[in-house]
Amino acid sequence: MDLKDKIKNKQAVVGVIGLGYVGLPLLLEFIEQDFTSIGFDIDDAKIKTLKQGKTYIKHISQNRIKKAVTGDSLSLTTDFSQLDKTDCIIVAVPTPLDKHHQPDLSYIEKTSETISQYLRKGQLVVLESSTFPGTTEEVMRPILEKSGLEYGTDFYLAFSPEREDPNNPKYTTKEIPKVVGCNNPYGLECTLALYDQVIVQTVPVSSSQAAEATKLLENIFRSVNIALVNEMKMILDRMGIDIHEVIQAAATKPFGFMPFYPGPGLGGHCIPIDPFYLTWKAKEYDIPTKFIELAGEVNTSMPYWVVEKVVEALNERGKSI
């Protein structure tokens, strides 16, 4: 039986590497759709917690964990030699920035090295970590091919960006459409078949690079618009105009406007980081990214502006910071 048929018949074993806010809920979706699955993580404390039926992620209920671990379909381990038991391997590891705001791909590289030790014919590897266009093809593929297996013939490699919005009750993992990109036609078919089992809608694109760029565009769009409204906040504050009143009024326009709201800067795992992945990669092509970098500057300056406003408010009330 070929890989696509194994997936469609739910006979494929799914492995998820990295049991954080992306990997764990995805693993649970496969378990709940009756796939035999293996969860991998280097953190032994996480594995022990899950095996006890407990959760370490706020929006994932303990009952859901308990139900998953009491069945026969789930294994949890720090032993990566069990990767050879899987048919599909999903990688959901961190992609932070280093202290110089350069992409840190060490987690992806180390995970790829580990997978290459146990890679066997017929397996599918899917990267979900947010990164710059070309990572799957230029970084992961050469490492995986150290196994002696050939991409597109012996194994398949795809990219499908995570779109988690933790603690959002309206959009859970299975309800958010999944973009899928692969540079091999059959690999794309297998990846679509895999996510079709657990996600409400899959959206195929022409390549892994296009899928990687999709994730960056989503978060750069938010970063730029947050920067715009933060700048508007500072301007209108000086003018004595309430930015929230203005946003509320502008949002009544039924087309051409999407409300964004000012804040004390950027938080979360993605928006403060992802734009820098594209600006770094764009240098390879001699393309300046002034717009993206300017948005980053505005958002980075917001905490300082907020502190100044707090100091002013305290001074007006005769209190010292």
Side-chain angles (χ1 to χ4, degrees), residues 14 16 21-27 29-30 89-93 124-130 136 158-165 171-182 188-208 210-212 214-215 218:
V14 178
V16 177
Y21 78 100
V22 174
L24 181 57
L26 188 59
L27 178 68
E29 293 294 346
F30 282 104
I89 302 170
I90 297 173
V91 178
V93 296
L124 167 67
V125 181
V126 186
L127 177 63
E128 288 216 359
S129 309
S130 302
T136 307
F159 183 82
S160 181
E162 60 88 3
R163 281 175 159 175
E164 285 293 319
D165 190 11
Y171 297 109
T172 61
T173 299
K174 66 181 177 182
E175 292 162 341
I176 303 171
K178 205 87 169 70
V179 173
V180 174
C182 181
L188 180 61
E189 290 177 19
C190 291
T191 311
L192 289 171
L194 178 66
Y195 285 111
D196 277 339
Q197 303 294 323
V198 295
I199 305 294
V200 64
Q201 179 188 358
T202 51
V203 183
V205 293
S206 62
S207 65
S208 59
E212 289 160 337
T214 298
K215 173 63 175 180
E218 292 171 9

Side-chain angles (χ1 to χ4, degrees), residues 104-121:
D104 178 1
L105 297 184
S106 60
Y107 293 92
I108 289 178
E109 291 168 341
K110 289 174 184 175
T111 302
S112 299
E113 293 281 0
T114 300
I115 294 171
S116 71
Q117 295 176 37
Y118 305 105
L119 194 66
R120 58 172 175 77
K121 285 189 176 183

Side-chain angles (χ1 to χ4, degrees), residues 6-295:
K6 288 181 77 172
I7 293 169
K8 288 185 173 182
N9 294 329
K10 297 187 177 181
Q11 294 180 8
V13 178
V14 178
V16 177
I17 300 177
L19 302 180
Y21 78 100
V22 174
L24 181 57
L26 188 59
L27 178 68
L28 293 173
E29 293 294 346
F30 282 104
I31 289 295
E32 289 162 4
Q33 292 301 319
D34 300 321
F35 277 87
T36 299
S37 304
I38 306 175
F40 298 87
D41 204 285
I42 60 172
D43 187 346
D44 189 55
K46 283 184 180 178
I47 299 298
K48 288 179 179 177
T49 299
L50 293 173
K51 284 183 175 179
Q52 293 169 359
K54 297 178 181 178
T55 185
Y56 45 80
I57 298 177
K58 182 180 178 181
H59 67 282
I60 299 177
S61 72
Q62 192 154 298
N63 287 339
R64 197 177 176 200
I65 300 292
K66 194 174 295 184
K67 186 177 179 181
V69 299
T70 52
D72 298 325
S73 299
L74 175 63
S75 300
L76 298 160
T77 185
T78 58
D79 178 10
F80 286 80
S81 67
Q82 293 192 40
L83 284 169
D84 64 2
K85 297 178 181 178
T86 64
D87 299 291
C88 305
I89 302 170
I90 297 173
V91 178
V93 296
T95 45
L97 298 170
D98 65 19
K99 62 182 180 180
H100 302 295
H101 275 209
Q102 303 290 313
D104 178 1
L105 297 184
S106 60
Y107 293 92
I108 289 178
E109 291 168 341
K110 289 174 184 175
T111 302
S112 299
E113 293 281 0
T114 300
I115 294 171
S116 71
Q117 295 176 37
Y118 305 105
L119 194 66
R120 58 172 175 77
K121 285 189 176 183
Q123 282 182 312
L124 167 67
V125 181
V126 186
L127 177 63
E128 288 216 359
S129 309
S130 302
T131 186
F132 58 80
T135 302
T136 307
E137 190 72 13
E138 299 165 16
V139 178
M140 284 194 77
R141 176 178 167 179
I143 296 174
L144 294 178
E145 287 186 328
K146 289 181 181 179
S147 63
L149 300 178
E150 185 180 346
Y151 165 76
T153 302
D154 300 319
F155 73 94
Y156 306 97
L157 178 62
F159 183 82
S160 181
E162 60 88 3
R163 281 175 159 175
E164 285 293 319
D165 190 11
N167 215 29
N168 186 332
K170 186 177 180 181
Y171 297 109
T172 61
T173 299
K174 66 181 177 182
E175 292 162 341
I176 303 171
K178 205 87 169 70
V179 173
V180 174
C182 181
N183 295 3
N184 175 273
Y186 182 72
L188 180 61
E189 290 177 19
C190 291
T191 311
L192 289 171
L194 178 66
Y195 285 111
D196 277 339
Q197 303 294 323
V198 295
I199 305 294
V200 64
Q201 179 188 358
T202 51
V203 183
V205 293
S206 62
S207 65
S208 59
Q209 291 92 331
E212 289 160 337
T214 298
K215 173 63 175 180
L216 295 188
L217 176 59
E218 292 171 9
N219 285 336
I220 289 169
F221 174 84
R222 293 176 68 188
S223 174
V224 168
N225 280 280
I226 290 169
L228 173 63
V229 79
N230 278 336
E231 195 164 67
M232 284 291 292
K233 163 68 177 177
M234 292 186 284
I235 295 168
L236 297 184
D237 180 76
R238 185 72 63 89
M239 295 179 176
I241 301 170
D242 183 352
I243 181 67
H244 292 280
E245 179 186 5
V246 172
I247 294 170
Q248 188 175 4
T252 61
K253 185 179 180 182
F255 55 89
F257 181 82
M258 180 182 293
F260 282 78
Y261 300 91
L266 294 178
H269 296 270
C270 294
I271 302 177
I273 295 172
D274 291 359
F276 291 103
Y277 271 74
L278 187 60
T279 58
W280 179 85
K281 185 65 174 179
K283 291 175 183 175
E284 184 180 322
Y285 296 88
D286 295 325
I287 300 292
T289 53
K290 295 178 182 178
F291 207 68
I292 299 171
E293 291 175 27
L294 180 59

